[in-house]
Amino acid sequence: QHDTVQEAVAAVAADNTQAVITLNKDFEGAGAVVEKDQNIVFNLNGFTWNINSLVGSSGTETNGVQLLQGSTVTIENGTLTSKTAKLLIQNYCDLTIRNATLSGQDNLTEIIVSNNNGSTVITGNSAVQAAAGGIAFDSDKWGGYQGGNVTLENGQVIGNVNATNGGKISLNGGTVTGLVSSESTSPVAVTGGVFHTTL
């Protein structure tokens, strides 16, 4: 038992052993940084994690959750949201979003899931909801990272989807309501799904 999600994350060993952090009620509090070699399942258990204090690299604490390269994370079975985050999730790891609803604050949250490394799979009865004109998820490459690799298997995406700088996106299912955009170095592979959008 821990009083905050941050305390629970800090207690997880960095040895790739999977740990499950389960909410037992709605939690409003700080976000979290998942470190290299941590393997965490955030089982929201039907509850809401509302992030009101942000994390990130020193001087750029704009993230709700920061998932560092070399970690493995699943977010499932509930709602993750923030009224203060610029990026709800900044992802550099292998991330699975399953049966989860992710949303931010209109006119403040720029990207719900920003992906710069590792792999991201959105599946199950998930919903990724951006503000009007905002980005639901992106896949980008910069710095020394390998670039994001995002697969939408199922779920509802409301907002724009952007692939840039060599980031990869595969749309295999689900529903996208928004603009899907890509650069020549970042083609978007479409093999399924329903689109209320302009490709």
Side-chain angles (χ1 to χ4, degrees), residues 110-134:
E110 296 179 4
I111 306 174
I112 302 300
V113 189
S114 183
N115 303 282
N116 298 105
N117 195 76
S119 64
T120 303
V121 177
I122 302 169
T123 191
N125 188 28
S126 292
V128 181
Q129 303 171 343

Side-chain angles (χ1 to χ4, degrees), residues 78-165:
T79 299
L80 176 65
T81 189
S82 176
K83 295 180 180 178
T84 56
K86 183 176 177 182
L87 308 177
L88 183 64
I89 298 174
Q90 177 70 75
N91 180 42
Y92 303 97
C93 81
D94 290 332
L95 169 65
T96 301
I97 298 165
R98 181 187 300 114
N99 300 326
T101 297
L102 311 179
S103 67
Q105 179 73 18
D106 281 0
N107 304 318
L108 178 63
T109 304
E110 296 179 4
I111 306 174
I112 302 300
V113 189
S114 183
N115 303 282
N116 298 105
N117 195 76
S119 64
T120 303
V121 177
I122 302 169
T123 191
N125 188 28
S126 292
V128 181
Q129 303 171 343
I135 298 172
F137 65 84
D138 71 355
S139 186
D140 195 18
K141 180 180 179 181
W142 59 274
Y145 294 103
Q146 298 298 309
N149 188 356
V150 183
T151 301
L152 175 63
E153 290 185 348
N154 199 19
Q156 182 180 43
V157 175
I158 300 173
N160 298 332
V161 173
N162 291 359
T164 52
N165 298 324

Side-chain angles (χ1 to χ4, degrees), residues 9-191:
V9 170
V12 174
D15 63 0
N16 287 308
T17 300
Q18 187 178 86
V20 180
I21 296 173
T22 303
L23 293 190
N24 55 24
K25 61 181 179 180
D26 290 338
F27 174 71
E28 183 169 355
V33 177
V34 178
E35 304 285 348
K36 180 177 185 283
D37 295 330
Q38 287 186 308
N39 184 338
I40 300 176
V41 176
F42 292 98
N43 180 6
L44 303 178
N45 195 27
F47 296 108
T48 297
W49 177 10
N50 185 358
I51 295 171
N52 63 12
S53 180
L54 305 181
V55 299
S57 302
S58 179
T60 58
E61 293 88 353
T62 58
N63 307 159
V65 179
Q66 186 182 44
L67 310 176
L68 297 183
Q69 184 176 13
S71 62
T72 305
V73 174
T74 298
I75 299 172
E76 62 182 14
N77 302 332
T79 299
L80 176 65
T81 189
S82 176
K83 295 180 180 178
T84 56
K86 183 176 177 182
L87 308 177
L88 183 64
I89 298 174
Q90 177 70 75
N91 180 42
Y92 303 97
C93 81
D94 290 332
L95 169 65
T96 301
I97 298 165
R98 181 187 300 114
N99 300 326
T101 297
L102 311 179
S103 67
Q105 179 73 18
D106 281 0
N107 304 318
L108 178 63
T109 304
E110 296 179 4
I111 306 174
I112 302 300
V113 189
S114 183
N115 303 282
N116 298 105
N117 195 76
S119 64
T120 303
V121 177
I122 302 169
T123 191
N125 188 28
S126 292
V128 181
Q129 303 171 343
I135 298 172
F137 65 84
D138 71 355
S139 186
D140 195 18
K141 180 180 179 181
W142 59 274
Y145 294 103
Q146 298 298 309
N149 188 356
V150 183
T151 301
L152 175 63
E153 290 185 348
N154 199 19
Q156 182 180 43
V157 175
I158 300 173
N160 298 332
V161 173
N162 291 359
T164 52
N165 298 324
K168 299 175 183 177
I169 292 177
S170 297
L171 303 175
N172 299 341
T175 302
V176 177
T177 303
L179 176 67
V180 178
S181 63
S182 63
E183 298 176 344
S184 59
T185 58
S186 307
V188 175
V190 180
T191 59

